Amino acid sequence: MVAYIPPVDDIRFLLNEVFDFNETMKTLPGYEEIDADLAVSILEQAGKFCAAVLEPLNRPSDEEGCRLENDQVFTPDGTSEAYKAFINAGWSGLSGDPEFGGQGLPRVMQVLLDEMLSSANLSFGLFPGLTRGAAEAISIHASDALKQRYLPKMISGEWTGAMALTEASAGTDLGLLNTRAEASVDDSYRITGTKIFISSGDHDFGGNIIHLVLARLPDAPKGVKGISLFLVPKFLVNDDGSLGARNGMSVGSLEHKMGIHGQPTCVMNYDGATGWLVGEVGRGLNAMFTMMNAERLFIGIQGLGIGEVANQKATAYARERLQGRSLDGSRGPVQIVEHPDVRNMLLRGRAYADAARALAIWTSMQMDIAARHPDEGARKSANGLVALLTPVVKAAFTDFGFETAVLSQQVFGGHGYIREWGMEQFVRDARITQIYEGTNGVQAIDLVQRKLPMEDGALPSRFFALIKQDLQSPVTCRNADAIVGATTEALERLERATERLLSGRLDPFAAGAASTGYLRLFALVAYGWMWTRMAKTAAMSDAGDRICRRKIAVSRFFAERVLPETIGLEVALNASPESVMALDADSF
């Protein structure tokens, strides 16, 4: 089985040629000295670490899994050592706040590191990803005292983080949670309850594990307005920063899962555990959404990472595997990459992965603008675009990533179904990305019912205007005509669907029935936009360059074989919700 190859050349192409990365960074205070060459050189080293240290652990970790013995969680052999090597190399603090010891590099670089981590070892990548999300929530919402005590060691990676939301009776509807918090004589609280599905809830890395726990005070109202957020460490921290007594929390069991076996997913029991309020009383969900939104973008990148590595492995196999005769019958056996059906699967996976990476870079650049641009209007505009795209990135990247994993497994035929080739693990691991941090159906509802109406409905129009700007710019080479034309037509379909959703003519049932199809339509158009930018850039570059040749060819495939799906999606979106809602629940 060939080794994973970090997509550094594609990253270099995107940062240097497709996006105005250097010029954008110059406008952001603190990033003026950062350019594409520096970013690529750092990411090249990150890719080497992922390929040399993390990928070799992926399959053994999946086979060994985590275990719980005498109230202690043990991760698979080599995981703890790999994590220590990861933090010693400084990767945990790449985008962390310099005030607390982070390197303060752009979000773009963090996102691309996350992609490579997810490709090499999805289970491992959750440890630093969750820690970073928890640190961001603490940084924005916690008191200065909590920040000073916890953030330096979380950003360095010495301490890790987890978020504890879900309960057996409270999943998507967190207003149903029962975990309670009671005030103590000092400024702390006692947290009691049980949470399920807690990724990175415990491990054997040493150090502390900082849980952000949603709980309800005794006099809190019912529903989400009665929820508060608390910082609950595995170990209490002494005044000098050293670890003190074990807190009143324990692992009840480890979940037995379809995939991500190298990641300890815990049932956590909080038995009067000491915690501290993060943010305001009754506004815990608001504070937690800082972490949840960051994690939703992160999970989207996991889908990209799985799709990338699965497509790489399938492509290499298709070049090596000899089977069947050429279409004209003159040669045989031939490489299976010659067969049209195999090519169709490989090209679809490549089309999804390359477009997702491009959109991830564009979105993360908007995040950097929203965080640092000196102009308030620019920050507000970028923040709105990030909000609009968050559910799209989470759902579409993971849907397409899973589809790519399945297609890549199919390329292997029977060999893809057995363990030794590793493809079935990609399928199992990718599946969770469509479920956790809010199922993709929830993301679709969020897009339709919450994000589209933002700015009185002007937000999607602003996004569509950006796409039109690139579609209408001069095309200097006919190689880009196909993707420009197909994306223009798909965008018109998306605009009609959006207008219909915003017009008020649809009742809640109709909006709910349309949401998943609408998100896919939105994502395909966004991918078409990215392919337009890549194809135009490639058409104006050296035609002999391998990357440019591939971009032009895959853009045409996307235009002719993928974007036509938007025709059927529009038809379905125009249908009455009656076919979805007519059957009464008892008749299912």
Side-chain angles (χ1 to χ4, degrees):
M1 191 64 154
V2 298
Y4 163 63
I5 301 174
V8 176
D9 288 343
D10 198 60
I11 291 169
R12 181 182 291 110
F13 170 77
L14 291 169
L15 294 184
N16 273 318
E17 300 189 51
V18 177
F19 299 105
D20 296 325
F21 181 79
N22 293 349
E23 293 303 314
T24 300
M25 292 302 109
K26 288 178 183 177
T27 67
L28 307 180
Y31 289 167
E32 298 92 341
E33 302 302 317
I34 296 172
D35 60 18
D37 290 341
L38 174 62
V40 170
S41 67
I42 293 172
L43 291 167
E44 190 169 21
Q45 295 306 309
K48 291 178 179 178
F49 181 91
C50 292
V53 177
L54 298 183
E55 191 192 22
L57 290 174
N58 194 38
R59 182 181 160 196
S61 296
D62 177 69
E63 294 180 345
E64 180 183 350
C66 301
R67 66 187 192 277
L68 178 63
E69 297 179 0
N70 300 320
D71 299 323
Q72 171 65 52
V73 171
F74 294 91
T75 55
D77 288 346
T79 305
S80 178
E81 293 78 7
Y83 184 78
K84 290 180 174 63
F86 180 82
I87 64 172
N88 288 339
W91 297 119
S92 60
L94 188 74
S95 61
D97 189 340
E99 181 182 350
F100 301 103
Q103 299 171 46
L105 292 172
R107 178 75 64 162
V108 179
M109 297 174 64
Q110 182 66 62
V111 163
L112 292 169
L113 169 59
D114 288 339
E115 181 202 332
M116 293 188 286
L117 286 170
S118 301
S119 288
N121 194 319
L122 186 67
S123 291
F124 181 93
L126 278 162
F127 292 110
L130 286 163
T131 302
R132 185 175 65 254
E136 289 180 4
I138 293 168
S139 177
I140 294 173
H141 298 285
S143 66
D144 288 340
L146 290 177
K147 293 178 189 178
Q148 294 297 331
R149 174 159 290 195
Y150 291 98
L151 285 181
K153 291 188 177 181
M154 293 182 73
I155 288 174
S156 73
E158 181 180 347
W159 294 354
T160 60
M163 63 176 181
L165 290 73
T166 307
E167 300 177 10
S169 61
T172 300
D173 188 355
L174 291 170
L176 299 176
L177 67 82
N178 293 311
T179 298
R180 63 185 187 275
E182 298 179 350
S184 298
V185 292
D186 54 13
D187 63 347
S188 67
Y189 294 79
R190 300 296 179 193
I191 312 299
T192 302
T194 298
K195 300 286 186 178
I196 63 173
F197 304 157
I198 309 307
S199 300
S200 301
D202 197 21
H203 53 67
D204 54 350
F205 300 169
N208 213 346
I209 305 174
I210 314 306
H211 289 220
L212 293 185
V213 183
L214 288 178
R216 193 184 301 279
L217 289 163
D219 57 350
K222 294 181 179 180
V224 296
K225 292 183 178 180
I227 300 173
S228 299
L229 181 65
F230 300 89
L231 186 156
V232 185
K234 178 179 179 179
F235 294 100
L236 301 177
V237 180
N238 298 320
D239 290 340
D240 63 0
S242 62
L243 295 182
R246 175 73 180 257
N247 206 349
M249 55 193 288
S250 61
V251 180
S253 64
L254 293 178
E255 306 285 6
H256 300 283
K257 306 172 304 227
M258 176 180 174
I260 56 170
H261 293 154
Q263 168 61 218
T265 307
C266 305
V267 174
M268 295 299 308
N269 295 321
Y270 303 92
D271 301 307
T274 302
W276 287 267
L277 182 68
V278 175
E280 302 175 30
V281 170
R283 292 183 57 80
L285 203 56
N286 177 65
M288 181 60 87
F289 261 110
T290 297
M291 183 174 184
M292 288 179 68
N293 284 329
E295 293 305 315
R296 285 172 174 175
L297 291 166
F298 170 56
I299 300 307
I301 301 304
Q302 288 185 332
L304 162 59
I306 285 283
E308 170 64 34
V309 68
N311 182 264
Q312 280 190 24
K313 306 282 187 181
T315 300
Y317 181 82
R319 291 192 187 119
E320 297 170 357
R321 178 69 167 170
L322 301 177
Q323 200 84 170
R325 302 189 65 81
S326 60
L327 290 179
D328 61 7
S330 64
R331 294 174 293 112
V334 296
Q335 298 168 308
I336 64 171
V337 73
E338 289 195 32
H339 300 311
D341 183 59
V342 172
R343 284 174 166 255
N344 184 69
M345 292 187 285
L346 295 176
L347 284 165
R348 182 172 286 266
R350 178 51 47 204
Y352 286 155
D354 284 9
R357 182 177 302 110
L359 187 58
I361 289 174
W362 186 86
T363 304
S364 53
M365 287 175 64
Q366 297 303 309
M367 296 174 76
D368 286 325
I369 292 170
R372 289 181 176 254
H373 200 283
D375 179 69
E376 182 181 358
R379 294 196 304 271
K380 182 178 179 181
S381 175
N383 193 59
L385 292 169
V386 172
L388 177 68
L389 286 171
T390 294
V392 178
V393 168
K394 194 282 180 184
F397 284 24
T398 58
D399 280 346
F400 294 143
F402 179 74
E403 291 174 23
T404 300
V406 172
L407 289 171
S408 300
Q409 182 189 37
Q410 187 75 11
V411 170
F412 281 73
H415 294 289
Y417 196 69
I418 60 177
R419 177 162 290 184
E420 68 182 89
W421 289 91
M423 301 307 293
E424 56 86 33
Q425 183 187 347
F426 294 141
V427 174
R428 289 186 288 105
D429 284 354
R431 189 65 184 91
I432 186 58
T433 65
Q434 298 170 290
I435 298 171
Y436 58 13
E437 300 307 334
T439 66
N440 287 358
V442 169
Q443 305 306 313
I445 292 170
D446 178 51
L447 174 64
V448 170
Q449 297 189 350
R450 295 188 181 93
K451 301 304 171 57
L452 291 188
M454 289 176 64
E455 301 180 14
D456 294 325
L459 180 57
S461 296
R462 283 205 293 117
F463 181 66
F464 300 156
L466 294 174
I467 300 176
K468 289 178 182 178
Q469 183 176 339
D470 283 327
L471 291 172
Q472 295 168 0
S473 65
V475 179
T476 60
C477 178
R478 289 193 303 171
N479 286 331
D481 284 351
I483 188 63
V484 170
T487 303
T488 299
E489 293 174 2
L491 177 60
E492 291 171 357
R493 297 180 192 111
L494 177 60
E495 287 185 302
R496 288 193 293 268
T498 305
E499 182 180 0
R500 186 164 180 265
L501 286 168
L502 288 173
S503 67
R505 294 194 299 269
L506 293 182
D507 61 27
F509 293 107
S515 59
T516 296
Y518 178 82
L519 188 146
R520 189 177 182 93
L521 173 60
F522 193 110
L524 288 172
V525 172
Y527 277 27
W529 178 35
M530 292 296 104
W531 273 115
T532 296
R533 296 191 66 157
M534 289 186 285
K536 284 189 174 185
T537 301
M540 294 185 290
S541 300
D542 181 5
D545 181 86
R546 177 176 174 272
I547 286 183
C548 290
R549 291 200 311 273
R550 189 173 75 178
K551 295 297 184 189
I552 291 170
V554 179
S555 75
R556 181 178 177 186
F557 173 87
F558 190 82
E560 296 181 357
R561 298 281 175 168
V562 181
L563 276 179
E565 293 177 16
T566 61
I567 299 171
L569 287 168
E570 184 183 28
V571 171
L573 290 172
N574 287 334
S576 165
E578 184 177 349
S579 60
V580 176
M581 304 306 300
L583 189 63
D584 62 273
D586 291 339
S587 298
F588 271 83

